[in-house]
């Protein structure tokens, strides 16, 4: 049950729906990606060594040590913070989307549906929480 997805949305004031709906395991029937409506997604893979124990993989920003998104951003809107978080700054971004092309994990997403002030979105390592020494929303909820 990908309840970390619910916790992530709740932590970012995104439409999360009710927690019970996240017990619907049909979501694993297809591969999903993080997007503008949620910054992490869990996929389920077959375990060849033990078919009774499938493997669940959580996809999100890796907060890379040497982030390609930071290197690609010509205006410095992406930056690596002291606690490891890789963050995006709306005030600096010019919307070129180079970061989307540069990320080897295809993580940043763009709000194409917004004509005015579209955002780049991705996991922000719950920076508001982690900079204070708290756990990210998805971690705290699941523990
Ligand atoms: S660290 Fe925060 S933003 Fe990233 S996946 Fe977890 S809850 Fe979402
Ligand atoms: S957006 Fe991509 S390149 Fe940038 S830190 Fe996240 S995973 Fe790494
Ligand atoms: S879209 Fe924004 S954050 Fe991404 S590379 Fe361009 S200016 Fe930088």
């Amino acid at each position: 049950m990908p309840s970390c997805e619910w916790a992530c949305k709740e932590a970012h004031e995104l439409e999360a729906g009710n927690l019970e709906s996240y017990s619907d395991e049909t979501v694993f029937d297809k591969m999903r990606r993080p997007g503008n409506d949620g910054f992490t997604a869990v996929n389920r893979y077959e375990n060849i060594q033990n078919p009774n124990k499938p493997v669940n993989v959580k996809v999100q920003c890796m907060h890379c040590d040497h982030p390609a998104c930071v290197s690609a951003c010509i205006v410095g809107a992406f930056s690596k913070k002291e606690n490891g978080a890789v963050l995006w700054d709306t005030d600096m971004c010019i919307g070129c989307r180079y970061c989307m092309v540069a990320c080897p994990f295809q993580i940043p997403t763009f709000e194409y549906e917004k004509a005015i002030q579209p955002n780049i979105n991705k996991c922000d390592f719950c920076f508001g929480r982690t900079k204070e020494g708290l756990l990210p929303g998805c971690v705290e909820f699941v523990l």
Side-chain angles (χ1 to χ4, degrees):
M1 164 171 160
S3 48
C4 56
E5 295 181 17
W6 178 87
C8 180
K9 291 178 187 183
E10 283 283 305
H12 293 85
E13 296 176 355
L14 297 171
E15 179 59 49
N18 63 52
L19 180 58
E20 289 70 39
S21 66
Y22 288 71
S23 60
D24 176 6
E25 298 206 348
T26 60
V27 292
F28 295 131
D29 291 347
K30 60 180 183 185
M31 292 295 122
R32 296 174 304 131
R33 301 281 313 162
N36 295 323
D37 57 352
F39 306 148
T40 187
V42 178
N43 290 315
R44 178 165 288 177
Y45 296 88
E46 185 185 355
N47 182 346
I48 298 167
Q49 289 172 334
N50 186 350
N52 294 324
K53 274 200 167 182
V55 177
N56 299 324
V57 179
K58 184 175 185 287
V59 187
Q60 63 179 73
C61 174
M62 310 287 277
H63 300 280
C64 305
D65 257 355
H66 302 284
C69 56
V70 173
S71 302
C73 182
I74 54 176
V75 295
F78 258 114
S79 60
K80 177 98 175 151
K81 303 300 180 194
E82 232 170 61
N83 73 351
V86 173
L87 296 189
W88 171 82
D89 184 339
T90 182
D91 293 331
M92 297 176 82
C93 179
I94 56 171
C96 66
R97 285 158 278 166
Y98 288 173
C99 52
M100 296 173 68
V101 180
C103 173
F105 306 104
Q106 299 171 317
I107 291 297
T109 55
F110 184 73
E111 294 176 333
Y112 287 102
E113 70 282 7
K114 269 197 198 166
I116 298 171
Q117 291 188 321
N119 288 328
I120 293 285
N121 285 315
K122 71 169 195 68
C123 159
D124 62 358
F125 194 44
C126 287
F127 188 66
R129 298 169 57 92
T130 53
K131 74 177 178 190
E132 306 291 343
L134 300 172
L135 292 171
C138 57
V139 178
E140 185 177 80
F141 178 76
V142 174
L143 282 178

